[in-house]
Amino acid sequence: MAGASDKARFYLEQYVPELQEYERKQIFTREEISAIASKRSDFEHILNARGSKPADYARYATYEINLDSLRKKRCKRLGIKGAKGYSGQRTVFFILDRGTKKFPGDMGLWMQYIQFCQKEKANKKLAKVLTSVLRLKPRDWGLWVLAAKWYAEQQGDMTTARSYMQRGLRFCKDKKELWLEYCKLEMVYLAKLAARRKILGLDEERKEQEEIQEDDNMISLPAVTAADFEPDASKGVEEVNEGALKRLENAPALTGAIPLAIFDASMNEFKNNPDIAEAFFDLALTFDSVPSTSRVLQHILTRLRETASDSAALVICEARLHLLGVDATSPSFPAALGKTLGAIKTAQASLPEKSRSALAEKTVTMLLPYLEKQDEMDEDVKTVLVASINRYVRGAAAAHLRLKSKTVKALVEAISAQGKLSGDEISQIDHDIRAAK
């Protein structure tokens, strides 16, 4: 126990100059400084004694984070420059570093460490922390995703983000979630590129003005640009070469070649599992504003036709293509819904009995989101939608024990008891299941 007290005393002595500085600058009163020293002493004795737990380090770090937040607010209110050379951030890093070294297997401490680095924008420290935790937990696919997303979204470094994903796939190639997150990362990147090109006027819209024809009665005026008002506005902006832009339009990064490569590699890894292909299809559908999405979707369908022509996944993917980019309240929705339901009904007859129940479940899952706007729908369209959901819920009841969706299971149980469900009842069940998650 003497050793623990000595260690605690050693660490507490490191804080003395900092506390003296706080008193000298009147950031904290003498009584508050005594309370801070007492609290730190309690924590240090707990950490250095036998039987300390990860939660003790977490509480100590939280205390220091709150203390530093209070110090910053007081300095701002009193107009005092912070204590020079003393950083609450460094103190928190030191505590969490000790905690993760003593309990390297505790993910709660690691996540607190990572979140604090992100909040403080301590990028160099975060890189070291991520490297350390990934060495210890290379099979945790969520950590690879966390690292990749941080670099892609916060740092704008897609090269490093891709390297994290690719390294993660070496360790977790059997995790479909990681393959999907890698594809999502690339689709988000494509969406950002498409949005940026549109904002900069690099798409086809920029040619519209050139197509305006002049007639003899029009007076030709010189074109006025922002540079005429602010000549220095374009400094630091690279000149755009028309030929380079044309070549860039056909570059693999913009044509969806990377998501396609990820999909093909995942299908080879999972032996052409149609459910995996459907998951990729659902993911790509959410990026309907990306120009290369249609190419990605058609590639997935081609692969499904070649490897799983009699699967429910192929039928539901082909059917969903009719609803791509169609809002539930738009005038084109009734026709698109009719084509979708017609395609499912036609294909259902040719499927094996086992696949029919799976198709029914997938159809219900596909139609449920459209009920969220049932109050804005035409009454006839709503009637068709509700009747279709009831019909396919009854079709899914044959495979009740094999159903994957909790919502569909709940709908099967409700329809077995009541016989038929209204649109409001279906929406309420769906809402309750999602709220429970």
Side-chain angles (χ1 to χ4, degrees):
M1 199 67 185
S5 297
D6 291 340
K7 284 183 181 179
R9 190 177 299 110
F10 170 77
Y11 288 126
L12 289 169
E13 286 174 357
Q14 312 305 311
Y15 297 123
V16 171
E18 174 190 352
L19 296 176
Q20 289 175 339
E21 183 82 357
Y22 290 160
E23 184 179 7
R24 187 178 67 81
K25 291 192 172 185
Q26 298 182 350
I27 298 173
F28 295 108
T29 64
R30 182 179 290 272
E31 290 76 16
E32 288 172 330
I33 289 172
S34 297
I36 293 170
S38 176
K39 194 72 174 177
R40 283 175 171 172
S41 177
D42 292 341
F43 277 121
E44 287 295 346
H45 280 86
I46 291 172
L47 299 189
N48 290 286
R50 289 183 181 179
S52 60
K53 300 176 183 178
D56 298 325
Y57 285 91
R59 282 195 293 269
Y60 193 6
T62 302
Y63 171 76
E64 289 293 343
I65 291 170
N66 294 335
L67 178 64
D68 191 53
S69 176
L70 176 62
R71 179 188 65 80
K72 288 177 180 177
K73 288 178 180 178
R74 286 204 179 172
C75 288
K76 185 177 180 180
R77 178 168 57 84
L78 299 173
I80 301 172
K81 291 186 177 180
K84 190 175 181 181
Y86 304 110
S87 169
Q89 182 191 86
R90 187 168 62 240
T91 303
V92 177
F93 284 159
F94 181 60
I95 294 167
L96 292 173
D97 195 48
R98 288 162 61 191
T100 50
K101 284 179 179 177
K102 187 170 183 179
F103 300 100
D106 189 85
M107 284 307 301
L109 271 180
W110 281 112
M111 291 308 299
Q112 185 178 7
Y113 206 167
I114 290 169
Q115 288 165 6
F116 182 71
C117 290
Q118 290 176 338
K119 180 183 175 184
E120 295 292 310
K121 293 182 171 56
N123 299 326
K124 291 183 179 179
K125 188 69 174 178
L126 179 60
K128 292 179 181 178
V129 174
L130 287 171
T131 300
S132 299
V133 70
L134 286 170
R135 282 175 181 167
L136 290 167
K137 301 280 186 179
R139 286 283 296 165
D140 190 336
W141 65 268
L143 290 174
W144 295 105
V145 174
L146 178 67
K149 280 187 175 180
W150 169 255
Y151 278 99
E153 296 173 4
Q154 303 299 325
Q155 301 298 308
D157 186 354
M158 274 300 293
T159 303
T160 305
R162 287 187 181 118
S163 72
Y164 270 106
M165 282 295 193
Q166 289 162 6
R167 284 159 55 197
L169 287 172
R170 294 177 193 171
F171 294 99
C172 311
K173 61 181 180 180
D174 58 332
K175 299 291 184 182
K176 69 173 185 178
E177 296 88 354
L178 186 57
W179 289 97
L180 288 168
E181 287 292 343
Y182 190 9
C183 185
K184 183 179 179 181
L185 186 77
E186 293 294 345
M187 293 301 291
V188 169
Y189 180 60
L190 288 176
K192 288 180 179 178
L193 285 179
R196 186 172 299 174
R197 288 176 64 84
K198 187 174 181 180
I199 291 170
L200 295 176
L202 304 182
D203 288 327
E204 294 300 323
E205 295 85 42
R206 62 191 171 89
K207 297 182 181 179
E208 290 181 358
Q209 292 182 352
E210 299 175 5
E211 297 175 358
I212 299 176
Q213 298 180 353
E214 298 181 358
D215 58 37
D216 296 335
N217 298 321
M218 293 179 64
I219 300 174
S220 179
L221 297 176
V224 181
T225 64
D228 296 322
F229 294 99
E230 192 177 351
D232 295 334
S234 60
K235 283 187 177 180
V237 180
E238 296 179 1
E239 293 185 2
V240 179
N241 181 278
E242 293 293 328
L245 285 176
K246 197 68 179 175
R247 290 194 298 273
L248 190 60
E249 288 177 0
N250 299 319
L254 290 179
T255 57
I258 299 177
L260 292 182
I262 296 168
F263 169 73
D264 288 337
S266 67
M267 291 302 286
N268 292 335
E269 177 65 31
F270 292 102
K271 300 179 181 178
N272 295 313
N273 187 329
D275 291 333
I276 302 293
E278 186 187 352
F280 273 95
F281 191 90
D282 291 343
L283 173 64
L285 276 177
T286 60
F287 295 91
D288 54 355
S289 62
V290 177
S292 57
T293 295
S294 57
R295 184 188 173 198
V296 174
L297 294 174
Q298 288 299 334
H299 182 82
I300 296 172
L301 287 175
T302 302
R303 186 69 176 245
L304 277 171
R305 292 186 188 111
E306 292 172 353
T307 60
S309 57
D310 61 344
S311 66
L314 174 59
V315 175
I316 203 69
C317 288
E318 288 180 329
R320 291 192 70 175
L321 208 56
H322 295 298
L323 292 168
L324 177 62
V326 180
D327 188 77
T329 57
S330 68
S332 57
F333 180 71
L337 180 62
K339 289 180 181 179
T340 300
L341 295 176
I344 293 172
K345 186 177 180 180
T346 302
Q348 191 176 34
S350 60
L351 289 178
E353 188 64 34
K354 183 179 178 181
S355 297
R356 291 180 187 178
S357 299
L359 178 60
E361 180 184 7
K362 293 176 187 295
T363 304
V364 174
T365 305
M366 177 190 71
L367 296 176
L368 280 174
Y370 294 104
L371 269 185
E372 293 177 2
K373 295 185 178 180
Q374 60 178 311
D375 294 335
E376 304 171 36
M377 281 183 187
D378 182 81
E379 195 62 34
D380 293 337
V381 176
K382 178 183 173 181
T383 301
V384 171
L385 190 60
V386 173
S388 299
I389 292 175
N390 275 278
R391 175 189 171 189
Y392 286 107
V393 167
R394 283 191 288 268
H400 181 258
L401 297 177
R402 298 194 305 272
L403 294 176
K404 298 176 182 178
S405 170
K406 292 182 179 180
T407 303
V408 178
K409 282 184 179 179
L411 289 171
V412 167
E413 293 171 0
I415 212 167
S416 299
Q418 297 177 224
K420 187 178 181 181
L421 298 174
S422 67
D424 291 333
E425 289 171 333
I426 294 171
S427 295
Q428 187 60 48
I429 292 172
D430 184 31
H431 177 269
D432 292 342
I433 295 297
R434 282 186 295 170
K437 292 179 181 180

